[in-house]
Amino acid sequence: MTGILASLPCVKNAVQNTFDYGTAGTGTLTIPGGYTTCTLQVWGGGGGGGRGGAFGAFGGGGGAGGYSKSSLTVTGAGGQTILYTVGAAGVANGGAGGLSNAYAGTFTMTAMTGNGGNGGSPGVDGTGGTATGGTVTNPTGASGSTGGGGLGTAGDGGLTAGAGGDGGDGGEIGPPVMPPTNGLPGDVGRVRFVFS
């Protein structure tokens, strides 16, 4: 055999070890065989930024989703299942982010939850979502700031998710007259499994 394909190594019976979910909804993960540890990270959805207010008042930024991380022993657990939910992004103008979680299917584990960030409103910043159940860490998401959304918590490798949306600009009576602008939606949550 010659050419490019001839130089590629053949990996027999390779098993995927990373499962990264970033679309809102629910699902079931089947644990692959042959691994001893699973690093599991959960980010809640970010809250939406608030609409700008009158007289130049910025809309409050949305809060970031909570973050939970666990290290699970999965020796001999191949074929067992873990259920999960990826939290939706908070809608523009103050919608709360959705809850993300991971919990026991047929595999026994402590449920992990990253609550969604709260939405901002004119002049009021959204607070970050709380987190529970992680065996490694459970920080609360960053709160929004004047006009800016809370940044998503950095997980392994600097990966983030669940940032809050920026708030809108405040209106001006002019001249010229400028109406307030809408806030931006938050970011969707995330659930990530890495087996080793």
Side-chain angles (χ1 to χ4, degrees):
M1 184 178 212
T2 61
I4 295 173
L5 292 178
S7 66
L8 295 177
C10 178
V11 180
K12 193 172 184 179
N13 298 324
V15 177
Q16 180 180 353
N17 75 324
T18 300
F19 301 83
D20 198 332
Y21 302 100
T23 301
T26 60
T28 300
L29 175 102
T30 300
I31 297 171
Y35 293 103
T36 59
T37 303
C38 173
T39 301
L40 176 50
Q41 301 174 89
V42 172
W43 291 262
R51 181 174 170 81
F55 305 108
F58 283 99
Y67 170 76
S68 183
K69 177 181 175 182
S70 282
S71 179
L72 307 174
T73 300
V74 294
T75 303
Q80 296 182 40
T81 58
I82 298 173
L83 307 178
Y84 66 88
T85 303
V86 176
V91 298
N93 298 330
L99 169 148
S100 294
N101 61 11
Y103 55 99
T106 58
F107 177 75
T108 301
M109 61 174 286
T110 299
M112 299 167 59
T113 300
N115 288 301
N118 293 297
S121 58
V124 180
D125 300 322
T127 56
T130 58
T132 59
T135 63
V136 176
T137 188
N138 294 288
T140 296
S143 293
S145 60
T146 303
L151 298 177
T153 301
D156 291 353
L159 298 174
T160 65
D166 291 344
D169 293 331
E172 301 288 348
I173 58 173
V177 174
M178 293 188 297
T181 61
N182 291 328
L184 298 177
D187 289 340
V188 71
R190 187 175 194 170
V191 177
R192 181 177 173 88
F193 302 82
V194 178
F195 293 90
S196 59

